[in-house]
Amino acid sequence: MWTSPFTTQSIPELFPKISKMGFDVVEIAVEDPSLIDVKKVRSALDDHGLKATICGAFGSSRDLTNESAKVQQNGLSYIEACLDICAELGVDFFGGPMYSAVGKARMLRPSERKAEWDLAVKNLQLVCEMAAARNLKIALEPLNRFESDLVNTTDDVLRMLNDINHPAACMMLDSFHMSIEERDVESAIVSAGDKLIHLQVSENYRGTPGSGQTPWQAYKKGLEKIGYDGIVTIESFTTDNVELAGAVCFWTPKAVSQDAFAMDGLNFLKKWANEKTYTSTANLKSTL
């Protein structure tokens, strides 16, 4: 939302502000583990009454489906470093589209696609073993067709989880990608069931929650049906970071300021989560 990459130096500006706004959780995108002093992050989270979630950044040098064994190992080493951060911060899972590199979108022959799928499954089985050794889970995120040719829908993730066949393997969903790929949001969430352990949200155009065409009642009904009690995180970006904005095709600001984006989104999500139609079994935490 505010900065990329996240570093130890990001803490003094961001954590007090996020806490004062009323968020419960801050989601840290770990682009470079070496830039983060985990002990200082944990201390600052405690000081400001925040919890954390951790997600990853998967460029071409961390591609678990790359033909190069060296690139695959680089991806595995990066994931292991992120799992260590999760363990030190008391975070239950590590999330992201770790099955392949973001932006890897091509028309492949069925045999080529199957080979990449099988390679992703093989490497993610190793990732699950690393996660389980730390009492963690992984949350695989489907991306839209313009960002991945391997995993686009909830059904795709479920098929991959079935092939991985490991108790540490779970999923996360992102409303932006779902707005492009899912025919029925409520049904997709219900099909995810207890494998869904994290939800990221923004509007269909990556803007402030509540300002676009996202079918929020469908999300509410789906989450209610599966008794979801996890975290809901706003995920968006800023044009102030040219490199990241270019990577996600973020050409124009989506709000008058990033602070306004965050506050308006939080106010909407709190109202949405607390509407009386939601059952008492659900305990959605509005987060950033």
Side-chain angles (χ1 to χ4, degrees):
M1 178 69 75
W2 284 285
T3 188
S4 171
F6 177 85
T7 73
T8 306
Q9 285 65 47
S10 306
I11 295 172
E13 177 188 356
L14 293 182
F15 284 15
K17 174 165 60 178
I18 290 168
S19 177
K20 186 176 181 179
M21 284 180 171
F23 287 95
D24 305 307
V25 179
V26 55
E27 184 155 290
I28 298 171
V30 178
E31 296 177 59
D32 184 347
S34 70
L35 299 178
I36 300 173
D37 185 323
V38 184
K39 288 183 173 57
K40 289 183 178 179
V41 172
R42 176 142 198 174
S43 178
L45 290 170
D46 292 341
D47 289 346
H48 296 289
L50 293 168
K51 295 184 182 298
T53 57
I54 301 295
C55 62
F58 297 93
S60 58
S61 65
R62 298 168 177 166
D63 183 4
L64 296 187
T65 62
N66 192 284
E67 61 184 14
S68 166
K70 183 177 180 180
V71 172
Q72 294 174 45
Q73 184 56 53
N74 189 58
L76 291 170
S77 297
Y78 164 73
I79 292 171
E80 186 168 29
C82 290
L83 291 170
D84 286 338
I85 291 174
C86 288
E88 289 190 60
L89 293 181
V91 177
D92 296 332
F93 67 90
F94 174 57
M98 59 195 85
Y99 42 81
S100 184
V102 176
K104 196 174 179 180
R106 311 136 303 155
M107 180 62 76
L108 297 178
R109 294 192 298 269
S111 59
E112 294 172 323
R113 193 170 305 285
K114 184 179 185 305
E116 287 204 355
W117 179 279
D118 291 344
L119 184 55
V121 167
K122 176 183 176 182
N123 280 323
L124 287 171
Q125 287 171 335
L126 298 176
V127 170
C128 285
E129 291 296 327
M130 291 190 291
R134 296 163 174 80
N135 295 315
L136 299 173
K137 293 183 178 181
I138 64 168
L140 300 180
E141 177 188 7
L143 301 181
N144 70 73
R145 70 192 72 177
F146 306 107
E147 297 184 38
S148 174
D149 57 30
L150 196 64
V151 178
N152 304 127
T153 66
T154 304
D155 284 345
D156 289 339
V157 183
L158 287 170
R159 184 163 61 91
M160 182 164 278
L161 295 181
N162 182 70
D163 288 355
I164 294 171
N165 191 28
H166 194 287
C170 295
M171 77 167 74
M172 60 182 284
L173 294 174
D174 182 322
S175 65
F176 171 72
H177 299 293
M178 295 179 78
S179 70
I180 298 172
E181 296 298 339
E182 300 291 356
R183 300 187 181 193
D184 185 321
V185 165
E186 181 181 342
S187 295
I189 292 172
V190 171
S191 68
D194 63 4
K195 289 296 184 180
L196 179 62
I197 60 173
H198 189 48
L199 178 65
Q200 293 176 333
V201 298
S202 63
E203 273 300 341
N204 58 292
Y205 68 102
R206 274 284 195 213
T208 309
S211 66
Q213 301 182 58
T214 299
W216 292 100
Q217 286 303 310
Y219 279 92
K220 177 178 285 289
K221 291 177 182 178
L223 294 169
E224 183 178 39
K225 286 181 178 179
I226 65 172
Y228 182 78
D229 64 353
I231 293 167
V232 177
T233 303
I234 299 174
E235 184 189 60
S236 192
F237 307 94
T238 172
T239 54
D240 291 339
N241 186 288
V242 176
E243 183 177 357
L244 181 60
V248 297
C249 301
F250 216 75
W251 311 127
T252 58
K254 306 306 176 188
V256 294
S257 71
Q258 295 305 98
D259 288 359
F261 192 131
M263 280 305 308
D264 291 347
L266 176 61
N267 290 336
F268 172 80
L269 288 174
K270 283 188 172 181
K271 180 180 178 181
W272 168 74
N274 291 316
E275 288 176 352
K276 292 181 180 179
T277 54
Y278 214 87
T279 67
S280 59
T281 59
N283 180 26
L284 301 182
K285 307 181 187 84
S286 300
T287 71
L288 185 64

